[in-house]
Amino acid sequence: MHSRRTVLTTAAASAAAAAVAASGSGSGSAHAAVPAGGRRPRKPVPDAARRARLRRLIARMTPEEKVGQLFVMRVYGHSATDPDPADVAANQKEIGVAHAAELVARYHVGGIVYFGWAHNIRDPHQVADLSNGIQKAAAGRRVPVPVLITTDQEHGAVNRVGAPATLLPGAMALGAGGSRDDARTAGRIAGRELFAMGIRQDYAPDADVNVNPANPVIGVRSFGADPRAVARMVAGQVKGYQEGGVAACAKHFPGHGDTDTDSHVGLPYIHHSAEEWERLDAPSFRAAIAAGVDSIMTAHIVVPAFDPSGDPATLSRPILTGILRKRLGYRGVVVTDSLGMQGVRVKYGDARVPVLALKAGVDQLLNPPDLALAHRSVLKALQEGELTERALDAKLMRILLLKERRGLFADPYTTHEEVDRVVGTRRHLATADRIADRTTTLLRNDAGVLPLSRRRERRVLVVGVDEAAPSGTGGPPTAVLATALGELGFTATALPTGPSPSQRRIDEAVAALGERDAAVVATYNVTADSPQRRLVGALLGTGKPVVQLAVRNPYDIAQLDGVKAALASYSWTDVELRAAARVIAGRRDPAGRLPVAIMRADAPAEALYGIGHGLSY
């Protein structure tokens, strides 16, 4: 790999550095942003000198190249130049190119976003090679500008890069742990591992305050429902990610926590008054800005208190320029949420949305459904004066300064050796387990059902949901729990029953429990009419000890009458399920405290368990 690194650096990285620095010294602002143990930080360069160099770079660009730098685009395939035939066909159908290198050449895109469903992620070495191939393609252009490679690695419910990379507790689990230091450490580990794979931006942390239990899209992706507590955790994660070398991205401005509509499929409304927004939603974004967050993502939500036009925040100048830029004083990069989501497409056509977003105050346009149309529309708006070149250049300056801060002009490449040195190390994995041990929340423990005893309840049946695990996070959940309990001295058997168990499957579970001493049932977002309620009731009817574990939103216990022992893990990823198993087995004392309130099912205005509730042994 050293010879490969030499070839890449001499043939390509030097071209990108030369484009920025007339002296050939490259970018000087990687400084502390580049992680220790990776590359040695360079001596800081005065801001005026950096800006002068970047202005010269911008001056060399054609209008087409400038417009291209505003886009962050998906692309199918595991390789920048040689993806699988099916991915070539998907690229040609959706984008009109064969692969990532051609995407960079044709559209001059400033960013590329990785997804599991786009087949970008197989293993860390492959991700590093894909990243290197993209950067090599960018360095070979007439005006070489490195690509900002990004992904959604929130951890918990949303992961893109899975094992053998380190899997960390997600936001609400960290919120239950309550430690800003843990949030910062988790962000730093995640950042270092992404950096080692050539990814220099992470669309995290989620800064939404989840005050609505019915929220279909945020939920456990939020740190909780207490604005001040969420703000502390957001600040910790921003610092951690950026100490790890990647640009953090606080989302979704101005706050997606109090919606009952998923903006992927509809257009949510936030009916907070200006005063309520200032109290509930603003603190976490203020904290992110104070922590130096590199980027903020917009929400496709309508906030009538700030913009009565009915435009989503992504397209609202009063919200993005009036509030985010002027009131909050944010000077970094503003990126849209995906422009393929229905929330931003319901009012205007796909040709107008990118232009309106830029006019509202956006810098980067994420994943438009039709890149060719979007690129033409922005270019036309520039040529006709609807968008001014001065405004466009200001957006480019913010984007290029971000790239420089993240060391992309100095050296955008990585190596297999760097991946092996950083990704999924024993130390990172052990730290993830220690953090997870502080997050599991014991909600109820009547009659001392927990912890289970290896003497009295040695034979354990694990039933419940086997929800598809976030990308690369192992699973299925019942198998992970059974294996973990087995390693802790129990004889555990997994019998998945699913989120909607049939009566036949319920009867099988009851019969299986008859031959065992206790049951652990994994539940997932239980509703009033969920068949999971019948499963839990039937298991309780056997008289055997039953432990209920909510593996996503912690609100399930409100729907489950008669449960004596209830836990929340806030995710069904391996690291959190193993932590829950240690609590069930009594190897760890439950330390998590609810970061949200659980309301009564029969009296929704009354709390069953308030914020901060959590039992110990």
Side-chain angles (χ1 to χ4, degrees), residues 201 203 248-254 285-286 288-289 293-299 320 324-325 328 330-337 362-364 402:
Q201 183 182 39
Y203 289 146
C249 183
K251 60 187 186 185
H252 308 80
F253 189 83
F285 290 102
R286 289 186 185 275
I289 294 168
V293 70
D294 276 342
S295 55
I296 289 178
M297 179 179 286
T298 69
L320 297 187
L324 181 56
R325 293 289 191 202
L328 301 188
Y330 181 60
R331 297 183 179 181
V333 169
V334 177
V335 58
T336 70
D337 205 343
V362 160
D363 301 310
Q364 288 182 310
L402 186 157

PDB file of all heavy atoms in Angstrom, residues 201 203 248-254 285-286 288-289 293-299 320 324-325 328 330-337 362-364 402:
ATOM      1  N   GLN A 201     -16.866  14.073   6.159  1.00  0.00           N
ATOM      2  CA  GLN A 201     -18.022  14.736   6.763  1.00  0.00           C
ATOM      3  C   GLN A 201     -19.003  13.668   7.207  1.00  0.00           C
ATOM      4  O   GLN A 201     -19.163  12.628   6.564  1.00  0.00           O
ATOM      5  CB  GLN A 201     -18.711  15.675   5.765  1.00  0.00           C
ATOM      6  CG  GLN A 201     -19.883  16.465   6.368  1.00  0.00           C
ATOM      7  CD  GLN A 201     -20.583  17.354   5.360  1.00  0.00           C
ATOM      8  OE1 GLN A 201     -20.771  16.972   4.203  1.00  0.00           O
ATOM      9  NE2 GLN A 201     -20.976  18.546   5.768  1.00  0.00           N
ATOM     10  N   TYR A 203     -23.048  13.394   8.526  1.00  0.00           N
ATOM     11  CA  TYR A 203     -24.320  14.073   8.759  1.00  0.00           C
ATOM     12  C   TYR A 203     -24.840  13.698  10.144  1.00  0.00           C
ATOM     13  O   TYR A 203     -25.845  12.983  10.311  1.00  0.00           O
ATOM     14  CB  TYR A 203     -25.324  13.707   7.673  1.00  0.00           C
ATOM     15  CG  TYR A 203     -25.015  14.312   6.317  1.00  0.00           C
ATOM     16  CD1 TYR A 203     -25.307  13.614   5.149  1.00  0.00           C
ATOM     17  CD2 TYR A 203     -24.437  15.565   6.203  1.00  0.00           C
ATOM     18  CE1 TYR A 203     -25.034  14.165   3.893  1.00  0.00           C
ATOM     19  CE2 TYR A 203     -24.157  16.121   4.962  1.00  0.00           C
ATOM     20  CZ  TYR A 203     -24.457  15.415   3.811  1.00  0.00           C
ATOM     21  OH  TYR A 203     -24.178  15.972   2.580  1.00  0.00           O
ATOM     22  N   ALA A 248     -18.654  17.854  11.330  1.00  0.00           N
ATOM     23  CA  ALA A 248     -19.949  17.485  11.890  1.00  0.00           C
ATOM     24  C   ALA A 248     -21.048  18.263  11.167  1.00  0.00           C
ATOM     25  O   ALA A 248     -20.790  19.281  10.513  1.00  0.00           O
ATOM     26  CB  ALA A 248     -19.991  17.780  13.381  1.00  0.00           C
ATOM     27  N   CYS A 249     -22.286  17.773  11.298  1.00  0.00           N
ATOM     28  CA  CYS A 249     -23.426  18.435  10.659  1.00  0.00           C
ATOM     29  C   CYS A 249     -24.627  18.338  11.592  1.00  0.00           C
ATOM     30  O   CYS A 249     -25.197  17.259  11.760  1.00  0.00           O
ATOM     31  CB  CYS A 249     -23.745  17.781   9.315  1.00  0.00           C
ATOM     32  SG  CYS A 249     -25.101  18.586   8.413  1.00  0.00           S
ATOM     33  N   ALA A 250     -24.989  19.440  12.232  1.00  0.00           N
ATOM     34  CA  ALA A 250     -26.150  19.458  13.119  1.00  0.00           C
ATOM     35  C   ALA A 250     -27.420  19.505  12.277  1.00  0.00           C
ATOM     36  O   ALA A 250     -27.530  20.310  11.358  1.00  0.00           O
ATOM     37  CB  ALA A 250     -26.078  20.664  14.048  1.00  0.00           C
ATOM     38  N   LYS A 251     -28.377  18.661  12.601  1.00  0.00           N
ATOM     39  CA  LYS A 251     -29.601  18.582  11.797  1.00  0.00           C
ATOM     40  C   LYS A 251     -30.796  18.348  12.722  1.00  0.00           C
ATOM     41  O   LYS A 251     -30.623  17.877  13.849  1.00  0.00           O
ATOM     42  CB  LYS A 251     -29.475  17.474  10.744  1.00  0.00           C
ATOM     43  CG  LYS A 251     -29.253  16.056  11.312  1.00  0.00           C
ATOM     44  CD  LYS A 251     -28.960  15.067  10.192  1.00  0.00           C
ATOM     45  CE  LYS A 251     -28.878  13.650  10.720  1.00  0.00           C
ATOM     46  NZ  LYS A 251     -28.483  12.684   9.695  1.00  0.00           N
ATOM     47  N   HIS A 252     -32.010  18.728  12.306  1.00  0.00           N
ATOM     48  CA  HIS A 252     -32.455  19.297  11.041  1.00  0.00           C
ATOM     49  C   HIS A 252     -33.046  20.668  11.365  1.00  0.00           C
ATOM     50  O   HIS A 252     -34.105  20.748  11.980  1.00  0.00           O
ATOM     51  CB  HIS A 252     -33.507  18.424  10.393  1.00  0.00           C
ATOM     52  CG  HIS A 252     -33.121  16.986  10.243  1.00  0.00           C
ATOM     53  ND1 HIS A 252     -33.192  16.065  11.290  1.00  0.00           N
ATOM     54  CD2 HIS A 252     -32.652  16.298   9.169  1.00  0.00           C
ATOM     55  CE1 HIS A 252     -32.799  14.867  10.851  1.00  0.00           C
ATOM     56  NE2 HIS A 252     -32.470  14.972   9.575  1.00  0.00           N
ATOM     57  N   PHE A 253     -32.374  21.735  10.965  1.00  0.00           N
ATOM     58  CA  PHE A 253     -32.771  23.088  11.318  1.00  0.00           C
ATOM     59  C   PHE A 253     -34.057  23.503  10.592  1.00  0.00           C
ATOM     60  O   PHE A 253     -34.200  23.230   9.401  1.00  0.00           O
ATOM     61  CB  PHE A 253     -31.646  24.076  10.949  1.00  0.00           C
ATOM     62  CG  PHE A 253     -31.879  25.456  11.471  1.00  0.00           C
ATOM     63  CD1 PHE A 253     -31.549  25.780  12.773  1.00  0.00           C
ATOM     64  CD2 PHE A 253     -32.462  26.425  10.667  1.00  0.00           C
ATOM     65  CE1 PHE A 253     -31.783  27.059  13.276  1.00  0.00           C
ATOM     66  CE2 PHE A 253     -32.704  27.700  11.164  1.00  0.00           C
ATOM     67  CZ  PHE A 253     -32.365  28.015  12.469  1.00  0.00           C
ATOM     68  N   PRO A 254     -34.996  24.142  11.307  1.00  0.00           N
ATOM     69  CA  PRO A 254     -34.920  24.692  12.662  1.00  0.00           C
ATOM     70  C   PRO A 254     -35.397  23.771  13.769  1.00  0.00           C
ATOM     71  O   PRO A 254     -35.612  24.218  14.890  1.00  0.00           O
ATOM     72  CB  PRO A 254     -35.839  25.907  12.568  1.00  0.00           C
ATOM     73  CG  PRO A 254     -36.905  25.485  11.614  1.00  0.00           C
ATOM     74  CD  PRO A 254     -36.192  24.641  10.579  1.00  0.00           C
ATOM     75  N   PHE A 285     -29.152  24.042  18.565  1.00  0.00           N
ATOM     76  CA  PHE A 285     -28.456  24.623  17.414  1.00  0.00           C
ATOM     77  C   PHE A 285     -27.518  25.738  17.856  1.00  0.00           C
ATOM     78  O   PHE A 285     -26.422  25.890  17.305  1.00  0.00           O
ATOM     79  CB  PHE A 285     -29.468  25.108  16.375  1.00  0.00           C
ATOM     80  CG  PHE A 285     -30.180  23.981  15.685  1.00  0.00           C
ATOM     81  CD1 PHE A 285     -31.475  23.622  16.041  1.00  0.00           C
ATOM     82  CD2 PHE A 285     -29.542  23.246  14.696  1.00  0.00           C
ATOM     83  CE1 PHE A 285     -32.114  22.560  15.415  1.00  0.00           C
ATOM     84  CE2 PHE A 285     -30.184  22.188  14.064  1.00  0.00           C
ATOM     85  CZ  PHE A 285     -31.469  21.839  14.436  1.00  0.00           C
ATOM     86  N   ARG A 286     -27.925  26.504  18.854  1.00  0.00           N
ATOM     87  CA  ARG A 286     -27.002  27.493  19.404  1.00  0.00           C
ATOM     88  C   ARG A 286     -25.751  26.805  19.959  1.00  0.00           C
ATOM     89  O   ARG A 286     -24.627  27.288  19.785  1.00  0.00           O
ATOM     90  CB  ARG A 286     -27.690  28.299  20.505  1.00  0.00           C
ATOM     91  CG  ARG A 286     -28.765  29.266  20.006  1.00  0.00           C
ATOM     92  CD  ARG A 286     -29.276  30.133  21.161  1.00  0.00           C
ATOM     93  NE  ARG A 286     -30.373  30.987  20.749  1.00  0.00           N
ATOM     94  CZ  ARG A 286     -30.231  32.173  20.182  1.00  0.00           C
ATOM     95  NH1 ARG A 286     -29.002  32.625  19.946  1.00  0.00           N
ATOM     96  NH2 ARG A 286     -31.291  32.898  19.848  1.00  0.00           N
ATOM     97  N   ALA A 288     -24.492  23.911  19.054  1.00  0.00           N
ATOM     98  CA  ALA A 288     -23.678  23.399  17.943  1.00  0.00           C
ATOM     99  C   ALA A 288     -22.845  24.517  17.331  1.00  0.00           C
ATOM    100  O   ALA A 288     -21.653  24.326  17.030  1.00  0.00           O
ATOM    101  CB  ALA A 288     -24.582  22.770  16.884  1.00  0.00           C
ATOM    102  N   ILE A 289     -23.449  25.670  17.149  1.00  0.00           N
ATOM    103  CA  ILE A 289     -22.733  26.805  16.568  1.00  0.00           C
ATOM    104  C   ILE A 289     -21.613  27.257  17.502  1.00  0.00           C
ATOM    105  O   ILE A 289     -20.484  27.510  17.072  1.00  0.00           O
ATOM    106  CB  ILE A 289     -23.708  27.949  16.255  1.00  0.00           C
ATOM    107  CG1 ILE A 289     -24.673  27.519  15.136  1.00  0.00           C
ATOM    108  CG2 ILE A 289     -22.962  29.219  15.870  1.00  0.00           C
ATOM    109  CD1 ILE A 289     -25.858  28.456  14.945  1.00  0.00           C
ATOM    110  N   VAL A 293     -19.499  24.028  14.894  1.00  0.00           N
ATOM    111  CA  VAL A 293     -19.950  23.038  13.926  1.00  0.00           C
ATOM    112  C   VAL A 293     -19.671  23.505  12.498  1.00  0.00           C
ATOM    113  O   VAL A 293     -19.908  24.658  12.142  1.00  0.00           O
ATOM    114  CB  VAL A 293     -21.445  22.718  14.130  1.00  0.00           C
ATOM    115  CG1 VAL A 293     -22.348  23.883  13.738  1.00  0.00           C
ATOM    116  CG2 VAL A 293     -21.840  21.444  13.390  1.00  0.00           C
ATOM    117  N   ASP A 294     -19.141  22.599  11.673  1.00  0.00           N
ATOM    118  CA  ASP A 294     -18.774  22.930  10.299  1.00  0.00           C
ATOM    119  C   ASP A 294     -19.972  23.098   9.383  1.00  0.00           C
ATOM    120  O   ASP A 294     -19.909  23.839   8.400  1.00  0.00           O
ATOM    121  CB  ASP A 294     -17.880  21.829   9.715  1.00  0.00           C
ATOM    122  CG  ASP A 294     -16.417  22.011  10.071  1.00  0.00           C
ATOM    123  OD1 ASP A 294     -16.028  23.127  10.463  1.00  0.00           O
ATOM    124  OD2 ASP A 294     -15.657  21.028   9.959  1.00  0.00           O
ATOM    125  N   SER A 295     -21.067  22.369   9.652  1.00  0.00           N
ATOM    126  CA  SER A 295     -22.207  22.411   8.731  1.00  0.00           C
ATOM    127  C   SER A 295     -23.500  22.184   9.497  1.00  0.00           C
ATOM    128  O   SER A 295     -23.514  21.568  10.563  1.00  0.00           O
ATOM    129  CB  SER A 295     -22.050  21.370   7.611  1.00  0.00           C
ATOM    130  OG  SER A 295     -21.849  20.069   8.132  1.00  0.00           O
ATOM    131  N   ILE A 296     -24.586  22.692   8.935  1.00  0.00           N
ATOM    132  CA  ILE A 296     -25.930  22.514   9.489  1.00  0.00           C
ATOM    133  C   ILE A 296     -26.850  22.100   8.353  1.00  0.00           C
ATOM    134  O   ILE A 296     -26.812  22.667   7.263  1.00  0.00           O
ATOM    135  CB  ILE A 296     -26.431  23.808  10.159  1.00  0.00           C
ATOM    136  CG1 ILE A 296     -25.655  24.062  11.462  1.00  0.00           C
ATOM    137  CG2 ILE A 296     -27.930  23.739  10.432  1.00  0.00           C
ATOM    138  CD1 ILE A 296     -26.048  25.336  12.176  1.00  0.00           C
ATOM    139  N   MET A 297     -27.679  21.092   8.612  1.00  0.00           N
ATOM    140  CA  MET A 297     -28.620  20.583   7.608  1.00  0.00           C
ATOM    141  C   MET A 297     -30.010  21.148   7.856  1.00  0.00           C
ATOM    142  O   MET A 297     -30.465  21.235   8.997  1.00  0.00           O
ATOM    143  CB  MET A 297     -28.668  19.050   7.645  1.00  0.00           C
ATOM    144  CG  MET A 297     -29.635  18.434   6.639  1.00  0.00           C
ATOM    145  SD  MET A 297     -29.647  16.618   6.684  1.00  0.00           S
ATOM    146  CE  MET A 297     -28.085  16.258   5.870  1.00  0.00           C
ATOM    147  N   THR A 298     -30.681  21.491   6.775  1.00  0.00           N
ATOM    148  CA  THR A 298     -32.037  22.036   6.857  1.00  0.00           C
ATOM    149  C   THR A 298     -33.076  20.937   6.985  1.00  0.00           C
ATOM    150  O   THR A 298     -32.833  19.773   6.664  1.00  0.00           O
ATOM    151  CB  THR A 298     -32.358  22.864   5.618  1.00  0.00           C
ATOM    152  OG1 THR A 298     -32.470  21.987   4.484  1.00  0.00           O
ATOM    153  CG2 THR A 298     -31.292  23.906   5.343  1.00  0.00           C
ATOM    154  N   ALA A 299     -34.254  21.340   7.431  1.00  0.00           N
ATOM    155  CA  ALA A 299     -35.396  20.429   7.530  1.00  0.00           C
ATOM    156  C   ALA A 299     -36.450  20.804   6.505  1.00  0.00           C
ATOM    157  O   ALA A 299     -36.694  21.986   6.257  1.00  0.00           O
ATOM    158  CB  ALA A 299     -36.004  20.487   8.931  1.00  0.00           C
ATOM    159  N   LEU A 320     -33.689  30.511   6.952  1.00  0.00           N
ATOM    160  CA  LEU A 320     -32.271  30.202   6.787  1.00  0.00           C
ATOM    161  C   LEU A 320     -31.386  31.441   6.856  1.00  0.00           C
ATOM    162  O   LEU A 320     -30.311  31.408   7.459  1.00  0.00           O
ATOM    163  CB  LEU A 320     -32.046  29.468   5.466  1.00  0.00           C
ATOM    164  CG  LEU A 320     -32.732  28.112   5.334  1.00  0.00           C
ATOM    165  CD1 LEU A 320     -32.290  27.417   4.058  1.00  0.00           C
ATOM    166  CD2 LEU A 320     -32.473  27.227   6.541  1.00  0.00           C
ATOM    167  N   LEU A 324     -31.171  31.630  10.948  1.00  0.00           N
ATOM    168  CA  LEU A 324     -29.919  30.882  11.097  1.00  0.00           C
ATOM    169  C   LEU A 324     -28.703  31.784  10.910  1.00  0.00           C
ATOM    170  O   LEU A 324     -27.777  31.782  11.729  1.00  0.00           O
ATOM    171  CB  LEU A 324     -29.890  29.724  10.106  1.00  0.00           C
ATOM    172  CG  LEU A 324     -28.651  28.832  10.147  1.00  0.00           C
ATOM    173  CD1 LEU A 324     -28.426  28.257  11.539  1.00  0.00           C
ATOM    174  CD2 LEU A 324     -28.772  27.713   9.110  1.00  0.00           C
ATOM    175  N   ARG A 325     -28.683  32.546   9.832  1.00  0.00           N
ATOM    176  CA  ARG A 325     -27.519  33.384   9.555  1.00  0.00           C
ATOM    177  C   ARG A 325     -27.491  34.632  10.448  1.00  0.00           C
ATOM    178  O   ARG A 325     -26.475  34.931  11.078  1.00  0.00           O
ATOM    179  CB  ARG A 325     -27.520  33.820   8.090  1.00  0.00           C
ATOM    180  CG  ARG A 325     -27.308  32.701   7.086  1.00  0.00           C
ATOM    181  CD  ARG A 325     -25.893  32.188   7.105  1.00  0.00           C
ATOM    182  NE  ARG A 325     -25.640  31.294   5.959  1.00  0.00           N
ATOM    183  CZ  ARG A 325     -24.667  30.395   5.935  1.00  0.00           C
ATOM    184  NH1 ARG A 325     -23.863  30.255   6.970  1.00  0.00           N
ATOM    185  NH2 ARG A 325     -24.496  29.638   4.879  1.00  0.00           N
ATOM    186  N   LEU A 328     -28.881  33.759  14.714  1.00  0.00           N
ATOM    187  CA  LEU A 328     -27.954  32.854  15.405  1.00  0.00           C
ATOM    188  C   LEU A 328     -26.504  33.108  15.036  1.00  0.00           C
ATOM    189  O   LEU A 328     -25.602  32.567  15.679  1.00  0.00           O
ATOM    190  CB  LEU A 328     -28.324  31.399  15.119  1.00  0.00           C
ATOM    191  CG  LEU A 328     -29.734  30.956  15.527  1.00  0.00           C
ATOM    192  CD1 LEU A 328     -29.876  29.443  15.371  1.00  0.00           C
ATOM    193  CD2 LEU A 328     -30.064  31.382  16.948  1.00  0.00           C
ATOM    194  N   TYR A 330     -24.743  32.184  12.382  1.00  0.00           N
ATOM    195  CA  TYR A 330     -24.010  31.047  11.821  1.00  0.00           C
ATOM    196  C   TYR A 330     -23.333  31.427  10.510  1.00  0.00           C
ATOM    197  O   TYR A 330     -23.954  32.004   9.619  1.00  0.00           O
ATOM    198  CB  TYR A 330     -24.958  29.871  11.590  1.00  0.00           C
ATOM    199  CG  TYR A 330     -24.251  28.658  11.025  1.00  0.00           C
ATOM    200  CD1 TYR A 330     -23.217  28.066  11.730  1.00  0.00           C
ATOM    201  CD2 TYR A 330     -24.612  28.126   9.791  1.00  0.00           C
ATOM    202  CE1 TYR A 330     -22.561  26.962  11.211  1.00  0.00           C
ATOM    203  CE2 TYR A 330     -23.971  27.020   9.287  1.00  0.00           C
ATOM    204  CZ  TYR A 330     -22.932  26.449  10.002  1.00  0.00           C
ATOM    205  OH  TYR A 330     -22.279  25.366   9.490  1.00  0.00           O
ATOM    206  N   ARG A 331     -22.033  31.092  10.389  1.00  0.00           N
ATOM    207  CA  ARG A 331     -21.264  31.452   9.205  1.00  0.00           C
ATOM    208  C   ARG A 331     -20.743  30.245   8.432  1.00  0.00           C
ATOM    209  O   ARG A 331     -20.034  30.418   7.435  1.00  0.00           O
ATOM    210  CB  ARG A 331     -20.076  32.335   9.624  1.00  0.00           C
ATOM    211  CG  ARG A 331     -20.500  33.652  10.253  1.00  0.00           C
ATOM    212  CD  ARG A 331     -19.300  34.525  10.586  1.00  0.00           C
ATOM    213  NE  ARG A 331     -19.697  35.799  11.161  1.00  0.00           N
ATOM    214  CZ  ARG A 331     -18.849  36.747  11.523  1.00  0.00           C
ATOM    215  NH1 ARG A 331     -17.546  36.554  11.385  1.00  0.00           N
ATOM    216  NH2 ARG A 331     -19.294  37.872  12.049  1.00  0.00           N
ATOM    217  N   GLY A 332     -21.072  29.049   8.872  1.00  0.00           N
ATOM    218  CA  GLY A 332     -20.571  27.859   8.199  1.00  0.00           C
ATOM    219  C   GLY A 332     -21.443  27.431   7.036  1.00  0.00           C
ATOM    220  O   GLY A 332     -22.278  28.184   6.525  1.00  0.00           O
ATOM    221  N   VAL A 333     -21.246  26.179   6.614  1.00  0.00           N
ATOM    222  CA  VAL A 333     -21.934  25.632   5.447  1.00  0.00           C
ATOM    223  C   VAL A 333     -23.335  25.166   5.818  1.00  0.00           C
ATOM    224  O   VAL A 333     -23.527  24.480   6.830  1.00  0.00           O
ATOM    225  CB  VAL A 333     -21.120  24.462   4.858  1.00  0.00           C
ATOM    226  CG1 VAL A 333     -21.930  23.704   3.806  1.00  0.00           C
ATOM    227  CG2 VAL A 333     -19.819  24.977   4.252  1.00  0.00           C
ATOM    228  N   VAL A 334     -24.306  25.530   5.001  1.00  0.00           N
ATOM    229  CA  VAL A 334     -25.683  25.062   5.145  1.00  0.00           C
ATOM    230  C   VAL A 334     -25.967  24.088   4.017  1.00  0.00           C
ATOM    231  O   VAL A 334     -25.807  24.419   2.835  1.00  0.00           O
ATOM    232  CB  VAL A 334     -26.689  26.227   5.105  1.00  0.00           C
ATOM    233  CG1 VAL A 334     -28.125  25.699   5.172  1.00  0.00           C
ATOM    234  CG2 VAL A 334     -26.434  27.199   6.253  1.00  0.00           C
ATOM    235  N   VAL A 335     -26.386  22.873   4.376  1.00  0.00           N
ATOM    236  CA  VAL A 335     -26.684  21.838   3.387  1.00  0.00           C
ATOM    237  C   VAL A 335     -28.151  21.444   3.518  1.00  0.00           C
ATOM    238  O   VAL A 335     -28.696  21.401   4.620  1.00  0.00           O
ATOM    239  CB  VAL A 335     -25.762  20.613   3.572  1.00  0.00           C
ATOM    240  CG1 VAL A 335     -25.880  20.023   4.976  1.00  0.00           C
ATOM    241  CG2 VAL A 335     -26.040  19.537   2.522  1.00  0.00           C
ATOM    242  N   THR A 336     -28.791  21.177   2.400  1.00  0.00           N
ATOM    243  CA  THR A 336     -30.175  20.709   2.449  1.00  0.00           C
ATOM    244  C   THR A 336     -30.222  19.273   2.929  1.00  0.00           C
ATOM    245  O   THR A 336     -29.266  18.518   2.797  1.00  0.00           O
ATOM    246  CB  THR A 336     -30.842  20.761   1.065  1.00  0.00           C
ATOM    247  OG1 THR A 336     -30.263  19.743   0.223  1.00  0.00           O
ATOM    248  CG2 THR A 336     -30.687  22.108   0.419  1.00  0.00           C
ATOM    249  N   ASP A 337     -31.355  18.872   3.476  1.00  0.00           N
ATOM    250  CA  ASP A 337     -31.660  17.447   3.559  1.00  0.00           C
ATOM    251  C   ASP A 337     -31.882  16.978   2.123  1.00  0.00           C
ATOM    252  O   ASP A 337     -31.937  17.790   1.185  1.00  0.00           O
ATOM    253  CB  ASP A 337     -32.894  17.213   4.426  1.00  0.00           C
ATOM    254  CG  ASP A 337     -32.922  15.823   5.056  1.00  0.00           C
ATOM    255  OD1 ASP A 337     -32.180  14.938   4.595  1.00  0.00           O
ATOM    256  OD2 ASP A 337     -33.688  15.637   6.025  1.00  0.00           O
ATOM    257  N   VAL A 362     -29.041  28.402   1.365  1.00  0.00           N
ATOM    258  CA  VAL A 362     -28.344  27.121   1.323  1.00  0.00           C
ATOM    259  C   VAL A 362     -27.032  27.260   0.545  1.00  0.00           C
ATOM    260  O   VAL A 362     -26.931  28.061  -0.392  1.00  0.00           O
ATOM    261  CB  VAL A 362     -29.255  26.062   0.670  1.00  0.00           C
ATOM    262  CG1 VAL A 362     -28.471  24.878   0.145  1.00  0.00           C
ATOM    263  CG2 VAL A 362     -30.321  25.608   1.664  1.00  0.00           C
ATOM    264  N   ASP A 363     -26.030  26.450   0.941  1.00  0.00           N
ATOM    265  CA  ASP A 363     -24.771  26.375   0.199  1.00  0.00           C
ATOM    266  C   ASP A 363     -24.646  25.095  -0.611  1.00  0.00           C
ATOM    267  O   ASP A 363     -24.163  25.112  -1.743  1.00  0.00           O
ATOM    268  CB  ASP A 363     -23.582  26.446   1.168  1.00  0.00           C
ATOM    269  CG  ASP A 363     -23.586  27.720   1.988  1.00  0.00           C
ATOM    270  OD1 ASP A 363     -23.711  28.811   1.390  1.00  0.00           O
ATOM    271  OD2 ASP A 363     -23.476  27.627   3.227  1.00  0.00           O
ATOM    272  N   GLN A 364     -25.054  23.982  -0.026  1.00  0.00           N
ATOM    273  CA  GLN A 364     -24.920  22.686  -0.688  1.00  0.00           C
ATOM    274  C   GLN A 364     -26.286  22.069  -0.930  1.00  0.00           C
ATOM    275  O   GLN A 364     -27.167  22.121  -0.055  1.00  0.00           O
ATOM    276  CB  GLN A 364     -24.090  21.719   0.164  1.00  0.00           C
ATOM    277  CG  GLN A 364     -22.608  22.040   0.222  1.00  0.00           C
ATOM    278  CD  GLN A 364     -21.867  21.000   1.041  1.00  0.00           C
ATOM    279  OE1 GLN A 364     -22.262  20.677   2.158  1.00  0.00           O
ATOM    280  NE2 GLN A 364     -20.794  20.467   0.487  1.00  0.00           N
ATOM    281  N   LEU A 402     -14.395  24.805   4.328  1.00  0.00           N
ATOM    282  CA  LEU A 402     -14.681  23.567   5.046  1.00  0.00           C
ATOM    283  C   LEU A 402     -13.749  22.451   4.568  1.00  0.00           C
ATOM    284  O   LEU A 402     -13.181  21.704   5.375  1.00  0.00           O
ATOM    285  CB  LEU A 402     -16.147  23.177   4.862  1.00  0.00           C
ATOM    286  CG  LEU A 402     -16.667  21.976   5.670  1.00  0.00           C
ATOM    287  CD1 LEU A 402     -18.178  22.059   5.819  1.00  0.00           C
ATOM    288  CD2 LEU A 402     -16.311  20.632   5.044  1.00  0.00           C
TER     289      LEU A 402
END
